[in-house]
Amino acid sequence: MNPYILGFKVPAPSIPAIPLLFIFVLIPLYDRIFVPLARKITGVPTRIQHLQRIGIGLVLSTISMAVAGVIETCRKSVALEHNMMDSVEPLPISVFWLGFQYAIFGAADMFSFVGLLEFFYAESSAGMKSLGTAISRCSVSFGYFMSTVVVEVVNKVSGGWLASNNLSRDKLNYFYWLLSVMSMVNFVVYLVCASWYRYKKVENKEGGAEGKLGMAGA
């Protein structure tokens, strides 16, 4: 892809930093616009529930993989149209288009990972808060490990969607769509599990116990 944006060459190793850039931009918007709006709509002083926030992140993750599949399909069509399937030259399509999937993925991280940290911190007992934070980090590490397993399994089952070093010949778009379907299934399973959860009871200002329902009841 054409690595130049507005005359500036975007180094390939810096592309994964795009989600971090969008998180940097989105967090102030989230805090100043989304949070007050969500508080007004839901009537919950703590904005939206932790499980709801994680669920939004999972939905955005599913969308980001679907968008990645569409963009990869467009990239391959450009390579085919210009007879550059085996060319090492940059394709006449801007790397800017990758920003859409990375932007959505960054927003997904902002909701899901932050929501997971807040969930463990708010719902864990006093002696388990540090352990809960560590578990959330372990889940990310486990995800990176499983991604390697998924790639290997998909290559064997599909006959080599990602077997070569030529992305124009590989079926990376199929892999993205597969990840989107897997993310959707993951979200459905998450909804079922979250519907069973009940938040810790907290004391209100009058001294009574007030229970907050889980995601399904919110």
Side-chain angles (χ1 to χ4, degrees):
M1 302 180 77
N2 184 2
Y4 288 92
I5 298 179
L6 299 177
F8 175 76
K9 183 177 181 180
V10 180
S14 68
I15 292 178
I18 295 178
L20 301 179
L21 177 63
F22 275 96
I23 290 175
F24 180 77
V25 174
L26 289 174
I27 285 180
L29 297 178
Y30 171 84
D31 186 62
R32 297 299 179 181
I33 298 177
F34 180 80
V35 168
L37 183 62
R39 183 185 293 119
K40 183 179 297 185
I41 294 175
T42 62
V44 179
T46 55
R47 309 171 296 274
I48 59 176
Q49 306 287 8
H50 306 308
L51 295 180
Q52 291 173 332
R53 185 177 303 176
I54 297 172
I56 292 174
L58 294 179
V59 171
L60 291 176
S61 178
T62 302
I63 295 174
S64 70
M65 291 297 99
V67 170
V70 172
I71 293 176
E72 175 61 17
T73 300
C74 293
R75 189 198 66 80
K76 291 184 65 174
S77 65
V78 170
L80 181 61
E81 179 182 352
H82 291 81
N83 195 25
M84 299 177 67
M85 296 295 289
D86 299 307
S87 175
V88 295
E89 297 297 324
L91 296 176
I93 179 174
S94 176
V95 73
F96 168 80
W97 291 102
L98 296 178
F100 290 100
Q101 66 199 57
Y102 281 115
I104 300 173
F105 186 74
D109 263 1
M110 183 184 69
F111 278 97
S112 59
F113 188 65
V114 174
L116 187 62
L117 287 175
E118 290 189 352
F119 173 76
F120 278 123
Y121 188 79
E123 298 298 308
S124 300
S125 60
M128 295 287 290
K129 294 185 184 297
S130 298
L131 180 60
T133 303
I135 291 175
S136 65
R137 293 288 184 178
C138 288
S139 67
V140 176
S141 302
F142 183 72
Y144 285 133
F145 172 76
M146 287 302 298
S147 64
T148 304
V149 176
V150 170
V151 170
E152 293 296 330
V153 171
V154 168
N155 271 333
K156 289 185 178 180
V157 174
S158 66
W161 279 1
L162 307 172
S164 70
N165 292 324
N166 187 345
L167 291 179
S168 296
R169 296 292 181 184
D170 283 338
K171 301 295 189 296
L172 182 59
N173 51 338
Y174 293 173
F175 183 69
Y176 280 140
W177 286 330
L178 175 63
L179 291 181
S180 181
V181 172
M182 293 174 63
S183 298
M184 186 180 301
V185 173
N186 179 54
F187 174 67
V188 172
V189 174
Y190 170 80
L191 281 180
V192 174
C193 296
S195 65
W196 295 337
Y197 184 79
R198 294 296 179 267
Y199 286 93
K200 286 168 53 177
K201 291 184 178 180
V202 296
E203 296 295 326
N204 59 23
K205 294 181 179 180
E206 299 177 358
E210 179 183 4
K212 294 187 292 182
L213 293 179
M215 185 175 180

